[in-house]
Amino acid sequence: MSVDPSSDTAPASVPAPCGPPTSVSGWGRTAPSTARLLRPRSYEEAAAAVRAGGARGTIARGLGRAYGDAAQNAGGTVLDMTGLDRIRTVDAERGVVVCDAGVSLHHLMEVLLPLGWFVPVTPGTRYVTVGGAIGADIHGKNHHVSGSFSRHVHELDLLTADGTVHTVEAGTDLFDATAGGMGLTGVILGATVQLLPVRTSLMSVDTERAVDLDDLMTRLEAGDHRYRYSVAWIDLLARGARTGRSVLTRGEHAPLDMLPPRARRTPLDFRPRRLPAAPSFLPEGLLGRTSVAAFNELWYRRAPRHRTGELQRISTFFHPLDGVPHWNRVYGRGGFVQYQFVVGHGHEDTLRTIVQRISRHGCPSFLAVLKRFGEADPGWLSFPLPGWTLALDIPANLPGLGALLDALDEQVADAGGRVYLAKDARMRPELVERMYPHLPRFRSLRAELDPEGVFRSDMSRRLGL
């Protein structure tokens, strides 16, 4: 089904630019570029902005949490979709929400948790929009159970290059190209999302330590089926017999009878804590090998060897860094690279080799997590596949980082794995087709849907998407 948003209304004006041409960057702050920033507040304004796009094209942007250049467009137009932020309807019986693409997961939690519903998938931050969650086909700690975000989307409204709004149902080619398509099939304007029922806003959390990488993988394989959520923090500076030592955290939504009597009065209360923002300027090298090694040692030793049933706030369990506004500043002006890859089951040796290689290089990453993925998702450019995924943050100015990551890319591709596009800022284009076998199909649909190349980004030009 398609609807021309201007067919029953007067022609919409193009939304006013948000000031002069603006420097736009990803969360990693490594490769900013300048674009004209527009903030539409209706479907009609979004359509008018796309029709008026210049020669460098247009890309949509949410809250800017893609780490690399996926939501940048040098010399072109960037649509700030946070002006489209209405929750249109909530079916509190079936757990279905219809909302604009600019609504954040944080706002959904504020509205839906008191009604006994939770978002089906959340990444490590709740400050992502619904449109961004679909465009990147985000995953969370529950992929082995629930898959990625788009699996829980019934339909979406998509503004295509000709200015038409299409209602796109799950299971169609256009839906599967859009889920994980990084905004290159069109502008996601709204979506209908299936939610998860919960009885409380607390989590029941089990924590244990793993002495090395093999111990960790054994624990994950043996116990993940008992939990909805599972993730391991991994010490990538540990060497020798301690290589890959980890803290494994798994959890479930706490039942009502697990709460202490006072908490049962307001079991669905959602009030995340916030700390002061990180300073706008921090000296380079603050997160060097010595400081991160000390942090990792302390973090590992403070973790319990084995603890069950600890009650944690949802915000603490899922989004601990959201409590520190602008935490990405701690890496200094040089920014940081987040590198995330997945390799399939049967390629554990590749994972071991990569972890050892990162450890030998001395990459000072205090944000490194390992998870197991479940079944692959239907999105043509969706990232997950059954296997192991490792994500780590690395200061962008680390000597030899480019050569190291290029070599890791080759290992991942040789193992049939892939690098996550939503976090990429530097991968070479010749590897993308090896990692994403549906890319030719994606390009073909894009050429048919958008022959003039209206939708473009710094990433799409860099990788030839």
Side-chain angles (χ1 to χ4, degrees), residues 5 21 86 144 195 231 250 254 264 353 370 372 389 407 435 452:
R86 290 170 293 178
H144 63 291
L195 305 167
V231 67
R250 295 185 281 204
R264 292 181 197 177
T353 301
L370 183 73
R372 289 176 71 243
T389 180
M435 294 181 177
E452 302 300 321

Side-chain angles (χ1 to χ4, degrees), residues 201-449:
S201 61
L202 295 175
M203 304 296 296
S204 173
V205 181
D206 294 352
T207 305
E208 57 192 289
R209 291 195 308 205
V211 298
D212 59 24
L213 182 60
D214 284 342
D215 183 28
L216 172 62
M217 289 193 289
T218 298
R219 291 170 186 260
L220 287 167
E221 288 182 317
D224 266 5
H225 66 281
R226 299 195 301 268
Y227 298 87
R228 180 177 293 274
Y229 303 100
S230 176
V231 67
W233 169 86
I234 183 169
D235 182 359
L236 291 177
L237 285 176
R239 298 187 182 185
R242 303 182 305 162
T243 299
R245 66 176 180 175
S246 311
V247 178
L248 174 56
T249 308
R250 295 185 281 204
E252 296 281 355
H253 294 278
L256 187 61
D257 60 9
M258 193 175 180
L259 272 58
R262 185 173 180 179
R264 292 181 197 177
R265 300 174 194 168
T266 55
L268 292 165
D269 188 35
F270 179 63
R271 289 184 295 176
R273 295 171 178 166
R274 285 175 72 84
L275 299 172
S280 58
F281 172 77
L282 286 167
E284 300 292 332
L286 182 66
L287 294 180
R289 292 186 181 98
T290 301
S291 59
V292 172
F295 170 87
N296 288 359
E297 184 71 28
L298 177 63
W299 190 261
Y300 181 77
R301 292 190 177 278
R302 283 187 60 189
R305 293 183 183 275
H306 186 76
R307 181 175 60 199
T308 60
E310 179 191 11
L311 288 176
Q312 291 184 7
R313 296 169 182 250
I314 273 178
S315 55
T316 301
F317 181 76
F318 288 107
H319 316 118
L321 287 176
D322 281 349
V324 183
H326 307 294
W327 65 262
N328 58 337
R329 294 174 180 169
V330 302
Y331 289 90
R333 291 178 177 172
F336 69 101
V337 172
Q338 176 150 122
Y339 186 69
Q340 183 169 5
F341 68 90
V342 58
V343 291
H345 294 301
H347 291 279
E348 286 76 12
D349 283 345
T350 299
L351 177 62
R352 292 185 188 96
T353 301
I354 289 176
V355 168
Q356 291 165 358
R357 194 165 189 170
I358 293 171
S359 176
R360 287 197 304 270
H361 196 86
C363 293
S365 177
F366 73 98
L367 295 175
V369 296
L370 183 73
K371 297 191 289 268
R372 289 176 71 243
F373 280 158
E375 294 182 7
D377 300 291
W380 293 351
L381 297 187
S382 291
F383 169 65
L385 54 83
W388 306 92
T389 180
L390 176 66
L392 61 149
D393 290 352
I394 315 170
N397 59 6
L398 182 72
L401 179 60
L404 172 67
L405 296 184
D406 283 348
L408 298 188
D409 288 346
E410 293 283 356
Q411 284 185 266
V412 169
D414 289 345
R418 58 186 62 145
V419 169
Y420 193 14
L421 295 180
K423 296 183 177 179
D424 178 58
R426 29 68 46 201
M427 186 166 55
R428 302 195 313 274
E430 60 267 24
L431 290 177
V432 178
E433 249 181 72
R434 291 174 58 192
M435 294 181 177
Y436 289 88
H438 292 296
L439 182 57
R441 192 178 181 190
F442 177 81
R443 286 171 173 158
S444 177
L445 184 142
R446 274 200 73 205
E448 179 182 343
L449 198 65

